């Protein structure tokens, strides 16, 4: 559309609208501008501009976005060093906010776009995390917008919407509300608790166990207030399986008129008793019918769909993990295909247009005929479930064909559609017959079923029922006894826990939220605490996961049981509801965990006993043939290639962490002038970035301006012949923060690499020697 002149802009109000992601901002702008807007590149994300109206006044509107959280919290630099910081001090340490994605420059972008604006409309996701991001945006720009035109006028307004569709966006703009500070502070509380508790336990455990065991296959031995109870459920099931002792049992199965009956007594665990009952039943010539009951039954249509149920179905039926399933649902939501996918509610609001939503699906090539028939007959009112007061259940918002989206997105969309249609379909109805008989004083039963109407199972065929026919028995009549079998079986252990079962347990015990449950499950897989069987979607604990959980149980079961986290979640909820304050909840919870942490440290030997049984002590680890000298004892250190790869000095009994996911090589016996340690080379692969590092400086930097985990290409020592002062060339043209450093080990294919980003340039190959020219 035509951009306004400066004179026109002065006569209108300027409105900045902020979405949570660029794609959502684009959709909102397209809806509000009716497809007629200009798009330009912003510092961080695109900006869409158009003329419109705002609260009845002419307006120049800019729509842009953040990229998730603007800020995250972390400890100040003085608490970042694992070696010099006592983990105990982290419980009382201050925290600071830092940009979540510094390279995107989102705060700078927001401040630039907010300058001169009169109002800000916050289109963040309508959950607590979105509410928290609202205030991150407000904090970034509150000093940049114009002074209010009227005294007491509200300039930061919140749009509440459940789908990125025209009607919902228009309705939200007409009903703007205040952002909710209590909900935002509840997220702040969770972030601070998870940071301080998680980092304190993780640093202590990682340092303690990685320094002792060579085949410990984990870069971090982490603890999380939600992650660890989640792992606990998996290990509990493993323990139930491994300690299970199968028992033989026997049951009687008689056959009368071609129908097999089930013994009312169930089964017996003594063979002699089974044989006795078999003899009694087999000796009886007739079976006497005690009762025949027939009644109509029904299989109810499903409740409206919420996040937890979607994740469980995706895992158990579609074989799509919960973390990936939520990513797919997020994509469908961003493109306006479904409503907001993070909701706890299983009941539709009273004003929800069920018929209108259903009509959208009439033209589907897969279920259009069913929908048309359903509309003609009249829909059923959805069953009322739980109203969490957040968002409507997950619902299809427009018609999508299989080729419109990716294959996995389609599978999730198809299920959401079929589920929604089923919620307004009739129940599945059937006649059920139950026959009770007596044979020699023992009671047996048989049941049959005849389908009357399939109902909603026509749209969800995997839930369909089949006729289960039995012979026609008459009440108070005797029938000849046919075969009588003494069936022998064995009790069986439970299966390993499935993702769907784990999600149910987490929901039941309040571990995580509908938005974070999938993240916690994904984390225990990434940490190598469990192994996922992709075929069965079961989670099988590793030796590390088992040792950790059993160790927590030995020291302090509260660390792994769900009760403590459930209590914390209730306290966080009380902040969101305005019942408790941020300071009270955080202080009380941190004091509780500090006492537990002190006790954990004092009793870590109990967990160590379990690690000794599962892993090889570092001193007994042979390592690889790569050996480099320690600068302290001048003896050779061993290279441990198993993740996390590291160097171990058996003389000093010290461990030195190394960069991961690359190759470690010797560096021609070059030594560091600061500590006399032999340097090693870290390479990301042939032709890729490569740099030298000193094992001691990498772990224990002693120079100002050098951070832990730095290689020689970041070493600021003015006289070090391996450092950036000697081989630095110029500022990196890509990130503008790093320095291009000559890779002296790249000859004859010379190149220079940025010491901060992945940028590299290739230099003339014919050169015999290349050196940076002094400036």
């Amino acid at each position: 559309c035509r951009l306004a002149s400066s004179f026109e802009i002065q006569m209108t109000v300027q409105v900045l609208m902020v979405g949570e992601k660029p794609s959502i901002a684009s959709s909102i702008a397209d809806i509000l501008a009716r497809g007629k807007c200009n798009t330009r590149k912003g510092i961080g994300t695109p900006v869409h501009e158009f003329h419109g109206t705002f609260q009845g006044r002419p307006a120049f509107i800019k729509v842009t976005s953040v990229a998730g959280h603007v800020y995250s919290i972390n400890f100040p630099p003085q608490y970042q060093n694992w070696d010099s910081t006592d983990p105990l001090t982290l419980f009382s340490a201050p925290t600071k906010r830092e940009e979540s994605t510094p390279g995107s420059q989102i705060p700078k972008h927001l401040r630039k776009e907010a300058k001169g604006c009169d109002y800000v409309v916050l289109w963040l996701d309508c959950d607590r995390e979105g509410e928290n991001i609202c205030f991150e945006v407000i904090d970034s720009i509150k000093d940049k917008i114009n002074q209010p035109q009227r005294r007491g006028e509200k300039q930061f307004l919140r749009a509440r919407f459940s789908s990125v569709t025209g009607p919902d966006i228009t309705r939200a703009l007409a009903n703007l509300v205040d952002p909710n500070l209590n909900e935002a502070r509840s997220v702040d509380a969770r972030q601070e608790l998870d940071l301080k508790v998680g980092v304190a336990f993780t640093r202590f455990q990682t340092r303690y166990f990685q320094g002792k065991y060579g085949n410990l296959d984990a870069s971090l031995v982490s603890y999380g207030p939600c992650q660890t109870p989640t792992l606990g459920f998996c290990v509990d099931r493993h323990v139930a399986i491994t300690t299970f002792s199968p028992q033989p049992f026997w049951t009687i199965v008689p056959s009368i008129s071609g129908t097999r009956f089930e013994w009312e007594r169930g089964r017996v665990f003594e063979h002699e008793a089974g044989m006795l009952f078999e003899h009694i039943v087999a000796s009886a010539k007739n079976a006497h019918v005690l009762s025949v009951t027939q009644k109509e039954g029904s299989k109810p249509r499903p409740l409206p769909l919420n996040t937890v149920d979607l994740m469980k179905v995706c895992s158990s039926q579609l074989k799509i993990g919960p973390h990936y399933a939520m990513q797919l649902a997020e994509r469908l939501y961003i493109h306006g295909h479904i409503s907001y996918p993070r909701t706890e509610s299983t009941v539709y609001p009273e004003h929800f247009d069920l018929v209108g939503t259903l009509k959208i699906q009439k033209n589907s090539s897969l279920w259009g005929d069913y929908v048309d028939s359903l509309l003609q007959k009249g829909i059923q009112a959805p069953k009322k479930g739980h109203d969490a007061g957040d968002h409507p259940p997950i619902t299809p918002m427009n018609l999508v064909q299989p080729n419109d989206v990716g294959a996995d997105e389609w599978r999730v969309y198809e299920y959401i559609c079929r589920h929604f249609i089923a919620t307004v379909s009739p129940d599945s109805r059937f006649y059920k017959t139950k026959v009770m008989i007596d044979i020699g004083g023992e009671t047996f039963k048989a049941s049959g079923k005849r389908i009357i109407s399939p109902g909603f199972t026509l749209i969800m065929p995997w839930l369909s029922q089949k006729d289960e026919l039995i012979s026609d028995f008459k009440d108070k009549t005797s029938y000849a006894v046919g075969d009588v079998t003494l069936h022998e079986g064995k009790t069986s252990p439970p299966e390993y826990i499935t993702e769907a079962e784990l999600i149910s347990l987490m929901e039941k015990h309040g571990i995580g939220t509908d938005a974070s449950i999938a993240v916690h499950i994904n984390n225990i897989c990434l940490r190598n605490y469990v192994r996922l069987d992709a075929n069965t979607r079961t989670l099988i604990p590793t030796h590390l996961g088992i040792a950790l959980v059993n160790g927590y149980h030995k020291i302090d079961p509260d660390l792994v049981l769900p009760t403590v986290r459930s209590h914390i979640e209730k306290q966080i909820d009380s902040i969101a509801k305005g019942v408790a304050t941020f300071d009270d909840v955080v202080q009380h919870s941190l004091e509780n965990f500090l006492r537990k942490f002190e006790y954990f440290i004092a009793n870590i030997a109990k967990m160590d006993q379990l690690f000794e049984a599962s892993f090889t002590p570092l001193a007994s680890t042979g390592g690889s043939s790569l050996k480099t000298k320690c600068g302290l004892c001048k003896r050779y250190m061993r290279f441990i290639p198993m993740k996390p790869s590291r160097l171990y000095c058996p003389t000093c009994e010290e461990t030195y962490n190394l960069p991961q996911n690359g190759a470690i090589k010797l560096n021609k016996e070059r030594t560091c002038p600061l500590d006399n340690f032999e340097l090693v080379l870290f390479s990301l692969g042939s032709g890729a970035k490569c740099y030298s590092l000193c094992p001691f400086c990498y772990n224990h930097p002693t120079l100002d301006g050098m951070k832990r985990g730095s290689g020689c290409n970041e070493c600021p020592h003015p006289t070090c012949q391996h450092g950036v002062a000697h081989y630095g060339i110029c500022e990196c043209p890509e990130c503008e923060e790093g320095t291009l450093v000559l890779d002296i080990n790249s000859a004859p294919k010379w190149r220079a690499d940025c010491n901060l980003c992945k940028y590299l340039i290739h230099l003339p190959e014919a050169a015999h020697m290349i050196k940076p020219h002094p400036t």
Side-chain angles (χ1 to χ4, degrees):
C1 67
R2 178 180 58 85
L3 285 178
S5 68
S6 59
F7 175 77
E8 290 174 314
I9 292 175
Q10 291 171 4
M11 297 296 293
T12 61
V13 293
Q14 290 199 58
V15 182
L16 176 65
M17 298 185 175
V18 183
E20 189 152 325
K21 293 180 176 65
S23 52
I24 292 180
S26 177
S27 298
I28 291 171
D30 193 55
I31 290 168
L32 296 180
R34 298 179 182 179
K36 298 178 180 179
C37 65
N38 280 356
T39 299
R40 61 178 170 82
K41 184 178 181 181
I43 295 175
T45 59
V47 182
H48 313 279
E49 299 174 326
F50 59 94
H51 281 296
T53 59
F54 180 74
Q55 297 184 341
R57 286 181 282 176
F60 178 71
I61 299 172
K62 296 190 289 186
V63 185
T64 188
S65 76
V66 293
H69 274 284
V70 182
Y71 300 104
S72 58
I73 66 166
N74 206 339
F75 294 109
Q78 62 267 33
Y79 293 92
Q80 296 286 352
N81 191 302
W82 286 39
D83 301 307
S84 60
T85 303
D86 184 347
L88 277 168
T89 64
L90 298 177
F91 287 89
S92 57
T95 60
K96 68 181 184 71
R97 288 206 312 183
E98 56 188 25
E99 291 186 37
S100 295
T101 53
S104 299
Q105 303 184 78
I106 295 298
K108 183 178 179 181
H109 168 71
L110 292 173
R111 286 193 289 270
K112 179 179 182 296
E113 299 303 332
K115 190 173 181 179
C117 287
D118 301 293
Y119 301 96
V120 177
V121 181
L122 302 157
W123 294 88
L124 287 309
D125 287 352
C126 295
D127 54 17
R128 290 181 185 174
E129 294 291 334
E131 218 65 37
N132 187 261
I133 300 172
C134 281
F135 283 91
E136 292 177 354
V137 173
I138 292 171
D139 290 345
S140 297
I141 63 176
K142 58 188 176 185
D143 59 341
K144 293 295 181 181
I145 64 172
N146 294 336
Q147 292 296 313
Q149 297 180 5
R150 305 182 187 95
R151 187 175 181 181
E153 185 178 35
K154 295 175 180 177
Q155 294 178 279
F156 292 96
L157 301 166
R158 178 75 159 106
R160 295 203 171 274
F161 59 105
S162 296
S163 66
V164 191
T165 58
D168 214 7
I169 295 300
T170 304
R171 187 185 307 114
L173 187 61
N175 296 276
L176 299 174
V177 298
D178 294 332
N180 190 319
L181 180 60
N182 289 331
E183 290 190 357
R185 292 297 278 164
S186 72
V187 175
D188 289 336
R190 182 185 289 113
Q191 288 177 345
E192 183 162 339
L193 289 173
D194 288 352
L195 173 72
K196 291 186 173 181
V197 175
V199 171
F201 275 90
T202 298
R203 285 189 186 182
F204 175 75
Q205 291 178 168
T206 302
R207 297 280 298 176
Y208 186 88
F209 291 115
Q210 281 190 355
K212 295 192 70 174
Y213 300 101
N215 59 341
L216 189 60
D217 188 14
S219 56
L220 280 177
V221 185
S222 63
Y223 175 88
C226 286
Q227 167 193 295
T228 302
T230 301
L231 173 62
F233 291 130
C234 302
V235 176
D236 288 346
R237 180 64 62 85
H238 170 80
V239 172
I241 293 170
T242 55
T243 59
F244 184 84
S245 178
Q247 289 182 288
F249 64 82
W250 291 264
T251 187
I252 308 295
V253 183
S255 177
I256 295 106
S257 298
T259 298
R260 292 187 176 277
F261 280 75
E262 181 183 345
W263 195 12
E264 185 76 356
R265 194 184 292 270
R267 57 193 180 184
V268 294
F269 291 91
E270 298 286 342
H271 188 207
E272 292 78 6
M275 294 176 64
L276 174 63
F277 283 116
E278 179 193 24
H279 176 73
I280 293 171
V281 173
S283 298
K285 295 183 179 180
N286 293 315
H288 304 285
V289 177
L290 300 175
S291 64
V292 178
T293 57
Q294 290 182 325
K295 62 179 181 179
E296 185 175 322
S298 66
K299 183 173 184 175
R301 56 192 178 276
L303 286 168
L305 185 65
N306 67 5
T307 304
V308 166
D309 288 333
L310 175 63
M311 289 191 292
K312 289 195 290 187
V313 166
C314 283
S315 176
S316 60
Q317 295 185 23
L318 306 183
K319 303 304 178 185
I320 296 174
H323 190 256
Y324 182 41
M326 292 312 299
Q327 291 177 335
L328 296 171
E330 182 79 14
R331 289 182 213 162
L332 291 169
Y333 161 68
I334 287 171
H335 289 97
H337 300 324
I338 65 172
S339 62
Y340 190 60
R342 292 188 174 90
T343 177
E344 298 178 17
S345 294
T346 53
V347 59
Y348 287 108
E350 290 184 11
H351 67 270
F352 196 90
D353 185 5
L354 293 167
V355 173
T357 304
L358 188 61
K359 283 181 177 178
I360 296 172
Q361 301 298 323
K362 282 181 62 175
N363 294 323
S364 169
S365 59
L366 295 176
W367 49 75
D369 291 343
Y370 178 87
V371 169
D372 192 47
S373 172
L374 185 61
L375 287 167
Q376 291 181 27
K377 294 176 182 178
I379 67 170
Q380 301 293 312
K383 295 186 180 297
K384 291 191 178 296
H386 171 64
D387 184 2
D390 50 357
H391 288 276
I394 304 169
T395 310
M397 301 309 296
N398 59 34
L399 181 63
V400 176
Q401 300 297 347
N403 293 331
D404 295 341
V405 294
D408 288 338
E409 287 177 67
W410 167 254
R411 293 168 66 207
V412 174
Y413 173 81
E414 179 184 10
Y415 177 79
I416 292 171
C417 286
R418 290 183 180 275
H419 189 108
F420 166 69
I421 298 168
T423 63
V424 293
S425 297
D427 293 342
S428 175
R429 296 186 297 116
F430 52 84
Y431 276 123
K432 186 173 183 179
T433 302
K434 184 177 181 180
V435 180
M436 303 292 293
I437 63 171
D438 176 275
I439 307 177
E442 290 299 306
T443 305
F444 297 85
K445 61 185 177 182
S447 296
K449 184 187 293 183
R450 181 170 60 84
I451 306 303
I452 303 172
S453 171
F456 76 93
T457 61
L458 287 174
I459 196 67
M460 301 179 84
W462 59 90
L463 296 179
S464 62
Q465 305 175 94
K466 295 181 179 180
D467 289 339
E468 299 171 5
L469 302 179
I470 60 174
S471 301
D472 187 16
F473 292 93
K474 293 185 177 171
D475 197 6
K476 311 303 180 185
T477 305
S478 297
Y479 295 86
V481 176
D483 295 335
V484 177
T485 304
L486 179 63
H487 174 76
E488 181 181 357
K490 278 188 177 182
T491 57
S492 57
E495 300 291 334
Y496 277 102
I497 197 166
T498 64
E499 287 173 321
E501 290 177 299
L502 182 56
I503 291 167
S504 295
L505 286 171
M506 294 174 72
E507 181 190 33
K508 176 183 176 181
H509 293 280
I511 303 301
T513 65
D514 57 349
S516 66
I517 283 175
V519 175
H520 299 312
I521 296 175
N522 190 54
N523 282 344
I524 63 173
C525 296
L526 294 177
R527 299 282 188 264
N528 195 36
Y529 296 159
V530 297
R531 177 177 59 83
L532 174 67
D533 186 322
N535 294 321
T536 60
R537 306 306 299 184
T538 53
L539 298 162
I540 304 165
T542 63
H543 291 305
L544 177 57
I546 295 167
L548 278 171
V549 169
N550 290 339
Y552 293 132
H553 276 296
K554 273 193 162 192
I555 299 172
D556 182 357
D558 278 351
L559 294 174
V560 71
L561 292 175
T563 48
V564 172
R565 184 62 192 196
S566 180
H567 175 72
I568 291 176
E569 288 295 336
K570 289 177 182 177
Q571 295 298 306
I572 289 172
D573 283 342
S574 68
I575 299 175
K577 295 173 182 176
V579 177
T581 67
F582 170 90
D583 291 334
D584 288 344
V585 169
V586 171
Q587 182 179 350
H588 173 75
S589 299
L590 287 177
E591 287 174 353
N592 182 36
F593 267 103
L594 175 59
R595 290 191 294 270
K596 290 182 174 298
F597 185 61
E598 290 172 331
Y599 186 78
F600 179 76
I601 291 174
N603 291 273
I604 190 63
K606 295 179 181 179
M607 181 181 282
D608 196 25
Q609 292 172 355
L610 301 174
F611 272 69
E612 286 180 348
S614 301
F615 303 103
T616 306
L618 200 56
S620 304
T621 304
S624 75
S625 58
L626 187 151
K627 288 180 169 55
T628 181
K629 281 187 179 179
C630 169
L632 301 176
C633 66
K634 304 299 186 287
R635 304 283 183 91
Y636 281 108
M637 297 188 289
R638 294 175 184 165
F639 173 56
I640 310 299
M642 291 164 290
K643 287 188 176 180
S645 57
R646 54 212 185 275
L647 291 166
Y648 172 66
C649 178
T651 304
C652 302
E653 295 187 347
E654 284 290 336
T655 305
Y656 299 95
N657 294 327
L658 296 170
Q660 303 299 306
N661 303 316
I664 299 293
K665 305 175 184 178
L666 293 175
N667 195 2
K668 303 177 182 177
E669 297 186 351
R670 296 187 175 109
T671 58
C672 175
L674 299 177
D675 48 48
N676 293 318
F677 273 71
E678 283 188 349
L679 305 182
V680 294
L681 277 175
F682 174 72
S683 172
L684 290 172
S686 178
K689 189 173 181 178
C690 176
Y691 59 87
S692 302
L693 65 95
C694 164
F696 190 86
C697 293
Y698 185 85
N699 289 269
H700 311 284
T702 56
L703 295 174
D704 292 338
M706 190 174 184
K707 58 186 179 182
R708 189 172 184 266
S710 297
C712 296
N713 59 354
E714 294 181 71
C715 176
H717 193 277
T719 63
C720 177
Q721 58 182 347
H722 314 296
V724 67
H726 194 72
Y727 287 108
I729 300 173
C730 64
E731 180 186 86
C732 174
E734 179 73 15
C735 68
E736 298 181 353
E737 294 181 4
T739 301
L740 284 184
V741 181
L742 177 66
D743 181 359
I744 60 170
N745 297 287
S746 60
K749 297 182 180 181
W750 297 92
R751 68 172 180 271
D753 311 313
C754 175
N755 59 7
L756 290 185
C757 71
K758 296 182 179 180
Y759 182 78
L760 62 83
I761 60 171
H762 293 279
L763 303 173
E765 292 187 18
H768 175 70
M769 176 60 69
I770 295 180
K771 293 182 180 180
H773 191 279
T775 57

